[in-house]
Amino acid sequence: MDEKNRVRFFDTTLRDGEQSPGINLNASEKLEIAEQLARLRVDIIEAGFPIASEGDFKAVEAIARKVKGPVICGLARANEADIVACGNAIKDAERGRIHTFISSSKTHMQHQLRMNEAQVLELAVKSVRHAKAFTDDVEFSAMDATRSDVEFLIRLFSAAVEAGATTLNVPDTVGYTMPDEYAELIRTLRAKVTGGDDVIWSVHCHDDLGLATANTLSAVKAGARQVEVAMNGIGERAGNAALEEVVMAIETRRDLLGVVTGLELRHIGDTSRKVSKLTGYRVPRNKAIVGANAFMHESGIHQDGVLKERSTYEIMKPETVGHSTDNIYLGKHSGRHAFQVKLQGMGIDLTPDELGRAFKKFKDLADQKKVVTDEEIEAIVLLDKGTVSDQFHLVSFQSFGGPSVIPMAAVRVQKGDELIEQTGSGDGQVDALCDAINKATDFHGRLTRYEVSATTEGTDSLGEVFVMVAEGGSSMTGRSVAADVIEASALAYLNAINRLLQKRALKKDSKTNSELMRSNPMQADPEPVSVGGERGVSGEGKGLAGSK
Ligand code: KIV
Ligand code: ZN
């Protein structure tokens, strides 16, 4: 592969993507997504923001230890405590990267950092140097670069290279730039930054004006060789450039762009589905590349053309991006081996325990339905993950409702050896069930989001339920799938409560990534979370972060 023309894919689904409102992944879900991203062969996985919480630290550490292939990267603000946490979290990676950033625009420097250019420059240099003590692979980002003074950017990036940065990232943090303007900025920086020829230029685009993909591609034409993207385009506000759009534009229009990628394109579909299921962020039907309609032809003229020759209306083959199915449907006569082969074909790896549980669920479902579709298999397998450490298990429930009765529910919930029975009432059967579950689990929060969807067509489809619950300032998502939507609702609600309890047990300190990004990004936490290692080794951390 021609290194000069190879575009590196830096996936930030687990960091910027996880900053999307309402996304709350636990460590095992993050690991699962990271393993899938490795299958997709992204070059770099930004696994999280280790200083944010013990949970984030542990997730990055676990990914660094277990996921082989891609470079594993952690994010750190330009202060000592962040960099030490990040360095410790990635230290066991095959190849680890620290990504450190500081804002460079006047508005950020004046209103958020309350620093002048010289102070920002000094912190950038100190941070890159400090990061180099942990790894050779250091990325430096000038946050809000597209609204920054270009002359200052040139000085800042030149200093970062001098300090040892190997990748320079030019984020369009607020999704403000336009394709031509962004290309011009990249060209100028490449030409004028001292040492700019020896580093990889990276771009990170947000989609506030719907231009993230266009801006990213324009920057690639101008010489950027790392693109920061997220699966399904998730991320802060309107999201990041969508991985699937950027890679397929590069692959489909190689004639224009003249660059290559190393991605395993057939894993785009399953990665998209996995991210959607685990984050609860649905992919719109008409979404480019990964939407259900992306390869559907509705009008008679189009159908006629495609039947005669697919290229009449298709610029990509659906199977290239993992839209195809193998046309093997499993049913109640299918055995464990066929089930396992099917999972392998879908890119799903399970431990023997997980396989045993998934196979039992599949058999139960196959008893109720003639044919179990790929979507249903994916749903039962994915949604089964992470249930082992649950505090509460739903043993049984009853509910009834209707226009002329008061909806009532009774639940039986197992907690260790204890069997708890409770009843509840409400506006409808789901409300009544939640009331009974609240009493059984002593949960005092409320349901803030409730979404139900069918996994396939037909009235015998499985019902998939996604919920969000909130209690005392924390919120948590829950999911489940079952043939009966009321059962799926009860399971999803209990799942959210269990996950909230797990999160609380893990740590008391928690701040979400977004909360940290919204706080003064250069200010070390007054009481940094304890993550072991040599964190906060000296007062220098505060000095670094707080020097005015
Ligand atoms: O949008 C942004 O500027 C970021 C940086 C941390 C790279 O996410
Ligand atoms: Zn971002």
Side-chain angles (χ1 to χ4, degrees), residues 15 37 49 59 62 103 184 292 366 377 401 406 510:
R15 200 279 298 167
L37 291 170
F49 196 0
S103 289
E184 190 49 39
I377 291 176
I406 297 174
S510 204

Side-chain angles (χ1 to χ4, degrees), residues 12 15-16 19 143 171-173 204-206 228 236 240 517:
T12 188
R15 200 279 298 167
D16 214 319
Q19 281 171 219
M143 197 179 195
D172 184 28
T173 304
H204 176 112
C205 296
H206 280 271
E228 302 202 351
E236 274 283 354
N240 287 84
M517 300 288 278

Side-chain angles (χ1 to χ4, degrees), residues 184-302:
E184 190 49 39
L185 176 62
I186 300 296
R187 268 188 226 107
T188 306
L189 292 174
R190 284 186 62 211
K192 297 204 171 155
V193 166
T194 314
D197 287 342
D198 306 325
V199 296
I200 300 288
W201 285 93
S202 166
V203 288
H204 176 112
C205 296
H206 280 271
D207 208 28
D208 299 65
L209 293 174
L211 290 169
T213 298
N215 286 335
T216 302
L217 295 171
S218 186
V220 167
K221 275 181 88 175
R225 287 296 177 264
Q226 174 175 290
V227 290
E228 302 202 351
V229 291
M231 199 68 223
N232 299 339
I234 60 174
E236 274 283 354
R237 304 181 313 278
N240 287 84
L243 177 147
E244 64 278 9
E245 292 176 9
V246 175
V247 67
M248 287 319 291
I250 289 177
E251 295 288 343
T252 309
R253 297 310 310 272
R254 232 184 244 185
D255 57 324
L256 266 186
L257 294 162
V259 291
V260 294
T261 79
L263 262 58
E264 194 71 67
L265 303 179
R266 70 195 165 91
H267 281 307
I268 289 176
D270 48 10
T271 310
S272 163
R273 288 191 292 275
K274 186 163 286 197
V275 169
S276 169
K277 284 230 154 52
L278 294 177
T279 57
Y281 265 48
R282 295 240 169 81
V283 174
R285 293 190 71 84
N286 62 339
K287 172 85 177 61
I289 323 291
V290 292
N293 293 356
F295 295 94
M296 272 186 187
H297 305 277
E298 183 67 25
S299 95
I301 297 175
H302 287 212

